[in-house]
Amino acid sequence: AQSVTQPDIHITVSEGASLELRCNYSYGATPYLFWYVQSPGQGLQLLLKYFSGDTLVQGIKGFEAEFKRSQSSFNLRKPSVHWSDAAEYFCAVGGWRDDKIIFGKGTRLHILP
Amino acid sequence: NAGVTQTPKFQVLKTGQSMTLQCAQDMNHEYMSWYRQDPGMGLRLIHYSVGAGITDQGEVPNGYNVSRSTTEDFPLRLLSAAPSQTSVYFCASSYSSIGGEQFFGPGTRLTVL
């Protein structure tokens, strides 16, 4: 069965600093990977996804993520965070062998002014 | 185009009561799913459907039933509510489970006393 681990429950960074949120997955074949963001009291919005091809994917709001098969990772990055990036971020995994899309427990991002 | 709609937004039940959470989408998506979100637990998949007439269990299906009689609707039934089912419930839809972006509804906040 597939699974997702987000090792950091909370991360605090200063506005303007760079950001990396970690995501490790377990899946028995080539995965489809997603990052979603949830602002306080809101639903979830897709930031980016990896389906195939280029392992560095660009998303909305200046985010990018890199798929590393050898490390079973799909870390999310942003070169310079803004106060509006404060939210909870979820990594998710799916794949052609299984119709389930499983989410990690999330990382809550706090931004210092 | 309303996207994914969920009703009600809030609900309070007593232990043992039953109710149905409604979910509808107007995007002609084949794939629909239900998640529950609890603090520190991320989103956990309850049930999902790859098309009308087809449903399957997710990670935490116990205590919940679903049916998919039409492409548009995917109701979630609580047969006998328990306090452990207090949660925020999200419905999502996608054109496909394989690499497709899931569009989420606004959520239903359920409290079971």
Side-chain angles (χ1 to χ4, degrees):
Chain A
Q2 70 253 54
S3 65
V4 176
T5 301
Q6 294 181 247
D8 304 305
I9 299 172
H10 295 273
I11 281 190
T12 301
V13 298
S14 298
E15 190 169 17
S18 63
L19 170 70
E20 183 170 30
L21 302 182
R22 295 183 291 166
C23 172
N24 293 99
Y25 69 89
S26 173
Y27 191 72
T30 299
Y32 306 127
L33 295 158
F34 309 84
W35 275 101
Y36 284 83
V37 61
Q38 184 181 34
S39 298
Q42 302 297 311
L44 281 85
Q45 180 184 23
L46 180 71
L47 285 175
L48 48 78
K49 68 178 183 180
Y50 171 77
F51 185 76
S52 65
D54 193 347
T55 56
L56 184 64
V57 294
Q58 303 296 322
I60 63 171
K61 304 185 180 186
F63 286 92
E64 67 178 26
E66 186 171 11
F67 170 57
K68 293 185 177 180
R69 185 188 302 274
S70 61
Q71 298 177 20
S72 298
S73 68
F74 189 57
N75 294 350
L76 182 71
R77 301 193 293 248
K78 186 170 185 178
S80 177
V81 299
H82 185 263
W83 63 266
S84 60
D85 293 325
E88 191 155 22
Y89 292 79
F90 293 95
C91 182
V93 64
W96 64 272
R97 286 171 59 178
D98 195 318
D99 293 314
K100 299 177 185 177
I101 299 174
I102 302 299
F103 282 74
K105 294 185 178 181
T107 297
R108 185 169 294 278
L109 176 63
H110 306 272
I111 307 294
L112 295 175
Chain B
N1 190 334
V4 180
T5 58
Q6 292 183 237
T7 56
K9 290 191 185 322
F10 301 94
Q11 184 70 50
V12 179
L13 292 177
K14 295 181 179 179
T15 297
Q17 287 185 316
S18 64
M19 79 159 296
T20 299
L21 307 185
Q22 301 291 345
C23 174
Q25 51 90 11
D26 61 0
M27 297 174 281
N28 201 32
H29 284 168
E30 291 296 323
Y31 185 85
M32 296 186 74
S33 56
W34 277 102
Y35 292 88
R36 60 177 289 174
Q37 184 176 24
D38 304 289
M41 300 299 292
L43 282 87
R44 291 181 291 172
L45 181 64
I46 304 171
H47 286 284
Y48 63 99
S49 169
V50 299
I54 307 170
T55 64
D56 207 343
Q57 296 181 351
E59 302 170 276
V60 289
N62 292 342
Y64 307 95
N65 279 355
V66 292
S67 59
R68 185 95 181 269
S69 56
T70 67
T71 299
E72 295 77 20
D73 300 298
F74 191 42
L76 179 72
R77 297 182 185 85
L78 283 70
L79 302 177
S80 178
S84 61
Q85 294 179 303
T86 294
S87 187
V88 180
Y89 291 85
F90 288 99
C91 178
S93 76
S94 170
Y95 70 88
S96 169
S97 65
I98 302 176
E101 173 186 358
Q102 291 201 94
F103 292 85
F104 283 81
T108 294
R109 184 174 293 275
L110 175 68
T111 301
V112 183
L113 303 175

